[in-house]
Amino acid sequence: MKTKILIIEDNDKNMYMLSFLLRSENFEVIETFSGKVGIASAIIHEPDVILLDIQLPEMNGYTVAIKIREIEKLKHTPIIAVTSYAMPGDREKAIESGATGYIEKPINPDTFISQMKSFLPPELLLKMEN
Ligand code: MN
């Protein structure tokens, strides 16, 4: 079974890039462009990993992470925050909101997959190899 990755990202170019990189690695990708749809999609699809943009319209990524963590079956789903805010304290804020890890934009296509994997639990990495 393919590893399922839910992306929540409002920017088309970033979505295209993330989606392209993940599909190239044979992941199943679900694309959502807002926090609201992202949360609903997470409940329906129960992804293995959630990639979460922090700068989203209406509901920002911190709030999205908090809401996802309130959902019992998503309590332990890895959430990787992706953000171009380079403000001190952002990483801490993302982690406090429930994110598992944090990747800074701009996305580096050569290192993105390994950056993402560095935040994932061993059992999931094992599943990815099979
Ligand atoms: Mn954004």
Side-chain angles (χ1 to χ4, degrees):
M1 224 166 66
K2 281 188 180 184
T3 303
K4 218 189 291 180
I5 309 211
L6 169 66
I7 309 175
I8 308 174
E9 163 68 80
D10 66 311
N11 178 282
D12 286 333
K13 276 166 76 178
N14 290 334
M15 177 63 88
Y16 181 84
M17 159 94 99
L18 291 169
S19 208
F20 175 81
L21 291 170
L22 292 165
R23 290 197 168 108
S24 307
E25 294 288 319
N26 209 29
F27 294 114
E28 180 184 339
V29 176
I30 302 160
E31 299 182 352
T32 64
F33 294 84
S34 75
K36 204 172 169 185
V37 177
I39 293 167
S41 183
I43 294 169
I44 295 166
H45 297 287
E46 296 185 48
D48 297 292
V49 182
I50 298 170
L51 285 179
L52 175 61
D53 177 29
I54 292 299
Q55 288 169 286
L56 291 167
E58 291 161 46
M59 191 193 295
N60 71 34
Y62 302 120
T63 308
V64 174
I66 291 167
K67 287 188 180 295
I68 288 172
R69 287 298 181 234
E70 287 169 355
I71 299 159
E72 192 58 40
K73 64 180 177 181
L74 301 174
K75 273 202 171 5
H76 304 291
T77 305
I79 299 174
I80 316 296
V82 184
T83 178
S84 50
Y85 283 157
M87 304 280 284
D90 279 351
R91 183 184 303 264
E92 290 70 20
K93 202 173 168 191
I95 302 302
E96 277 167 24
S97 304
T100 315
Y102 177 103
I103 297 175
E104 265 177 38
K105 288 177 186 171
I107 295 301
N108 178 342
D110 298 325
T111 58
F112 176 73
I113 297 291
S114 62
Q115 275 181 293
M116 183 187 77
K117 283 183 175 173
S118 74
F119 298 115
L120 303 180
E123 60 272 21
L124 184 54
L125 295 174
L126 208 64
K127 181 190 163 187
M128 288 176 177
E129 285 167 20
N130 297 327

